[in-house]
Amino acid sequence: MLTSAPFELRGRRTLLLAGDAFSTTEAKTAACYLMYRTRDVVCVLDAKHANQTCDKVVGYGGRVPVVGTIDDALRLHPQQAIVGTAPMGGALEEGLRGQIAACLVAGVDVVSGLHTFVADDGELTAMAEKSGAQIWDVRRVSQNAHVSTGVGCTTGAKTVAVVGTDCNVGKMTVAVELAGAFSARGVRAVWAATGQTGIMLRGRGVCVDRVISDFIGGATEELVNVEGAGSDIVFVEGQGSITHPGYAGVTLGILYGAMPDCMVLAHVAGRAHYKRLDLVIPPVTDIVRLHEQLMAPHKPSRVVALAVNTSALADAPARREVDRLQEQTGLPTTDVIRFGCAAIYDAIAAATIGNR
Amino acid sequence: MLTSAPFELRGRRTLLLAGDAFSTTEAKTAACYLMYRTRDVVCVLDAKHANQTCDKVVGYGGRVPVVGTIDDALRLHPQQAIVGTAPMGGALEEGLRGQIAACLVAGVDVVSGLHTFVADDGELTAMAEKSGAQIWDVRRVSQNAHVSTGVGCTTGAKTVAVVGTDCNVGKMTVAVELAGAFSARGVRAVWAATGQTGIMLRGRGVCVDRVISDFIGGATEELVNVEGAGSDIVFVEGQGSITHPGYAGVTLGILYGAMPDCMVLAHVAGRAHYKRLDLVIPPVTDIVRLHEQLMAPHKPSRVVALAVNTSALADAPARREVDRLQEQTGLPTTDVIRFGCAAIYDAIAAATIGNR
């Protein structure tokens, strides 16, 4: 059910379409792409933040400009445009559709992670055919589906599920950084992308929340086996949260498809309520226990580390919050971006590849 | 996202297409339809069990004949044919397709719960158009989807989720029987169908395992609100099991979409392994606790009763097994078919509509 990029995204002049939401989690795809591919990005389109630089708006991305109109953006000669917003439900609203149309007319390739497929819009595909532009709907899944049986990865690679206390806590970032940290020590480590932004960065994956629900586990199982081929360890990007009223089904389906050897729990420092909902997130220790209980019938898989996103805090309070959560849970804890992966490396290695 | 029957199924001469699997759980749709609509069924088509009566093959259904060929079946003048098999994955294999074709050519309406839609097959729809036969793919869901927010039923009706220790334990039957028992006492009780057989019997519902996974909860939420309108209590048919490696995502999505006021756990006496899998089912008490822990962040919802399917046992061992599980769990326990709903009625009423 995997999708793969029809062209190599890396190294191409990139326009990020951020709606009018660049500074919010609505535009997390734009923000993540900017973080990991800064040098590729020629500009971000967002009328609300126009005429500023990215570092002023989101705190990184240096002097990459934010522009206010699609014409200004196209004047910078992008080769590809990435739809950088992830609205709940994923519809294609009119303003964004106009920007996509302008890109396709100008021969700029379009990469989209919306539920509504760009390539299903006859007018837009006609524009693309005329100009030669390509469209990649990263949520598109093929139909060769199966129901998972709980075997997980059978290539010999170990699997680590990056789970979370909510949506938008940074699960993908944790998977990327951990794969990088293990690779740096000579381990054949990869990460498996299960969401739109991850698929764009990894160049392949499966948008699990787009799969017909009977096949969530099967799609994940296929994914970890593809990524596990030739690897020692696969870090699986989780989605949602195990007690999230809207997304928990997807969360649990991924967990059972991946059948991880251990888990890493991602959390945002200070977030008390689920994103967009007036509902309290359970204590971290309860969430740890729930994951372990759900895995217990299948495998003695434990949450072996916490990855805390402290991006909203200054250095000193960030350090205090990491230490406090480590104390409270008894688990090795870090912020993988701010403090690196060293503090949790050994715990993950011990639960997977052993000492090597 | 609901589907509704394009014609009233009840009261029409019905052919059940049972593959060659009538006596197995593969043909559970045929078996359930036969149980609840015995008088409508003119015959069951199953080459392996041909020339017997239903009561000889499955233990009920009286003298309804099992026939060996589609020609024999059509000679009994059915008005509608129901695809009575539910293979894992839900594909339309060639033998069954031929039977469906023969029905459509003969002007017999076809009702199917397969993942592969009959109406997406150009040849079959052409046959239907020519003869005037109708096709109802009960798994078809519309695309007006939303992500659930955890509000559950807002009509004022109480909701009871019928959950299970595995697939094929009889969750739908429990929902049907409980709705009947509450109705018999003057409560406005209905049940909400989430699977193929249920939708055929109820005449409407949503095949939740067919929904795009982001919308499992939203589809269930819509369903309980439709069924809750004008009702005091809605019994929601669950799917799969919370620790089933293939289906748990769907199970949890339904639970959070329904946000039940209490739960009833369905179980098959003596079943130790998940159906079709070499994997031990956790102890009933663990499964009870998991459900309650998953509900705890949202609502103090408890498993208030057990419904045990003892159909494979004789009367005395069935009674002993029900008593043993009641003792072990401390929960009111019954087999709703064999012993009725009285033993668990009060516990469910107390957790929902109170004493009335």
Side-chain angles (χ1 to χ4, degrees):
Chain A
M1 306 190 78
L2 271 60
T3 182
S4 289
F7 48 86
E8 171 64 71
L9 275 66
R10 190 191 301 260
R12 299 179 85 216
R13 296 175 61 82
T14 301
L15 157 62
L16 298 175
L17 304 175
D20 292 335
F22 186 37
S23 61
T24 75
T25 52
E26 292 288 326
K28 69 171 179 171
T29 298
C32 274
Y33 205 90
L34 176 68
M35 174 179 284
Y36 283 109
R37 298 275 164 84
T38 310
R39 283 187 301 185
D40 291 352
V41 180
V42 294
C43 65
V44 175
L45 175 53
D46 179 340
K48 269 202 193 148
H49 300 92
N51 305 316
Q52 299 182 58
T53 55
C54 284
D55 58 356
K56 292 276 189 270
V57 182
V58 292
Y60 53 87
R63 302 183 56 79
V64 172
V66 182
V67 300
T69 70
I70 187 67
D71 291 339
D72 288 344
L74 292 176
R75 249 174 243 124
L76 296 169
H77 303 294
Q79 294 167 286
Q80 61 192 14
I82 288 180
V83 177
T85 49
M88 209 172 191
L92 175 56
E93 49 85 20
E94 223 22 64
L96 180 58
R97 187 176 176 280
Q99 296 171 359
I100 291 171
C103 289
L104 293 173
V105 166
V108 176
D109 298 331
V110 169
V111 177
S112 168
L114 297 175
H115 268 290
T116 307
F117 295 143
V118 174
D120 284 354
D121 184 317
E123 279 180 34
L124 295 177
T125 50
M127 292 169 191
E129 271 162 32
K130 199 165 170 191
S131 72
Q134 296 189 74
I135 297 167
W136 183 30
D137 286 302
V138 304
R139 278 186 191 267
R140 176 94 63 184
V141 294
S142 67
Q143 290 305 314
N144 55 338
H146 75 284
V147 173
S148 68
T149 57
V151 294
C153 184
T154 58
T155 67
K158 299 295 183 178
T159 53
V160 180
V162 180
V163 298
T165 55
D166 192 6
C167 309
N168 280 115
V169 294
K171 291 181 280 283
M172 187 206 79
T173 303
V174 173
V176 172
E177 296 298 324
L178 284 171
F182 276 73
S183 295
R185 297 222 209 165
V187 179
R188 294 177 305 170
V190 295
W191 64 285
T194 61
Q196 54 188 25
T197 312
I199 294 168
M200 291 176 192
L201 289 171
R202 179 88 182 106
R204 68 182 181 193
V206 58
C207 226
V208 175
D209 63 9
R210 176 76 197 182
V211 171
I212 286 175
S213 63
D214 236 9
F215 306 123
I216 310 172
T220 309
E221 206 169 82
E222 182 187 345
L223 177 65
V224 295
N225 279 283
V226 166
E227 295 292 4
S231 306
D232 299 315
I233 187 165
V234 181
F235 293 92
V236 183
E237 176 196 11
Q239 293 292 333
S241 178
I242 199 68
T243 56
H244 189 290
Y247 301 120
V250 172
T251 307
L252 184 55
I254 293 177
L255 194 70
Y256 281 176
M259 282 294 165
D261 295 288
C262 71
M263 297 169 275
V264 173
L265 179 62
H267 178 60
V268 172
R271 189 181 296 179
H273 293 82
Y274 291 104
K275 192 189 163 204
R276 297 192 182 106
L277 296 173
D278 180 27
L279 185 66
V280 173
I281 298 174
V284 170
T285 46
D286 288 7
I287 295 177
V288 166
R289 192 185 53 188
L290 255 180
H291 281 95
E292 294 178 350
Q293 287 174 340
L294 285 163
M295 283 302 300
H298 306 286
K299 210 170 191 179
S301 181
R302 308 295 299 268
V303 175
V304 297
L306 284 191
V308 185
N309 176 342
T310 63
S311 56
L313 302 179
D315 282 348
R319 183 75 261 168
R320 281 199 300 275
E321 183 61 10
V322 165
D323 291 346
R324 189 188 68 78
L325 281 163
Q326 176 154 325
E327 172 89 1
Q328 182 193 322
T329 61
L331 293 171
T333 303
T334 192
D335 178 328
V336 297
I337 295 292
R338 184 171 236 147
F339 303 123
C341 298
I344 64 176
Y345 187 95
D346 288 347
I348 299 167
T352 52
I353 54 173
N355 296 316
R356 40 185 286 166
Chain B
M1 307 190 78
L2 272 60
T3 181
S4 290
F7 47 87
E8 172 64 72
L9 275 67
R10 192 191 301 260
R12 300 179 85 215
R13 296 176 61 83
T14 302
L15 157 62
L16 297 175
L17 304 175
D20 292 335
F22 186 38
S23 61
T24 75
T25 52
E26 291 288 327
K28 68 171 179 170
T29 298
C32 273
Y33 205 90
L34 176 68
M35 173 178 285
Y36 283 108
R37 299 275 164 82
T38 310
R39 284 186 301 183
D40 291 351
V41 180
V42 295
C43 66
V44 175
L45 174 54
D46 179 340
K48 270 203 191 146
H49 300 92
N51 307 318
Q52 300 184 57
T53 55
C54 283
D55 60 355
K56 291 276 188 272
V57 182
V58 292
Y60 54 87
R63 302 182 56 80
V64 171
V66 181
V67 300
T69 70
I70 186 68
D71 291 340
D72 288 344
L74 292 176
R75 249 173 245 125
L76 297 168
H77 303 296
Q79 295 166 285
Q80 61 192 14
I82 287 180
V83 177
T85 49
M88 208 173 193
L92 175 56
E93 49 85 19
E94 224 19 67
L96 180 58
R97 188 176 176 281
Q99 295 172 358
I100 291 171
C103 289
L104 293 173
V105 167
V108 176
D109 298 331
V110 169
V111 177
S112 168
L114 297 176
H115 269 290
T116 306
F117 295 142
V118 174
D120 284 353
D121 184 316
E123 279 180 34
L124 295 176
T125 51
M127 293 169 188
E129 271 163 34
K130 198 164 171 193
S131 72
Q134 296 189 74
I135 297 167
W136 183 31
D137 286 300
V138 304
R139 277 187 192 267
R140 176 94 62 184
V141 294
S142 67
Q143 290 305 312
N144 55 338
H146 75 285
V147 173
S148 68
T149 56
V151 295
C153 184
T154 57
T155 67
K158 299 294 184 180
T159 53
V160 180
V162 180
V163 297
T165 56
D166 193 6
C167 308
N168 278 115
V169 294
K171 290 179 281 283
M172 188 206 78
T173 303
V174 173
V176 172
E177 296 298 324
L178 284 171
F182 276 73
S183 295
R185 298 222 208 165
V187 179
R188 295 177 303 169
V190 295
W191 63 285
T194 60
Q196 55 188 26
T197 312
I199 295 168
M200 292 175 190
L201 288 170
R202 179 89 182 105
R204 69 180 180 193
V206 58
C207 226
V208 176
D209 64 10
R210 177 75 197 183
V211 172
I212 286 176
S213 62
D214 237 8
F215 307 122
I216 309 171
T220 309
E221 207 170 81
E222 182 187 345
L223 176 65
V224 295
N225 279 284
V226 166
E227 295 292 3
S231 306
D232 299 314
I233 187 165
V234 181
F235 293 93
V236 183
E237 176 195 10
Q239 294 293 332
S241 177
I242 200 67
T243 56
H244 190 290
Y247 301 119
V250 172
T251 307
L252 184 54
I254 293 176
L255 194 69
Y256 281 175
M259 281 295 164
D261 295 290
C262 71
M263 298 169 275
V264 173
L265 179 63
H267 178 60
V268 172
R271 189 181 296 177
H273 293 81
Y274 291 104
K275 191 187 164 206
R276 297 191 180 105
L277 296 173
D278 179 28
L279 185 66
V280 173
I281 297 175
V284 170
T285 46
D286 287 6
I287 295 177
V288 166
R289 191 185 52 187
L290 255 180
H291 280 94
E292 294 179 349
Q293 286 175 341
L294 285 163
M295 282 304 298
H298 306 287
K299 213 170 189 178
S301 181
R302 309 294 300 267
V303 174
V304 297
L306 285 190
V308 185
N309 176 342
T310 63
S311 56
L313 303 179
D315 282 347
R319 183 73 262 168
R320 280 199 300 275
E321 182 62 10
V322 165
D323 292 346
R324 190 188 68 77
L325 281 163
Q326 177 155 323
E327 173 89 2
Q328 182 191 321
T329 61
L331 293 171
T333 303
T334 192
D335 178 327
V336 296
I337 294 293
R338 184 171 236 147
F339 303 123
C341 298
I344 64 176
Y345 186 95
D346 288 346
I348 299 168
T352 52
I353 54 172
N355 297 316
R356 40 186 285 165

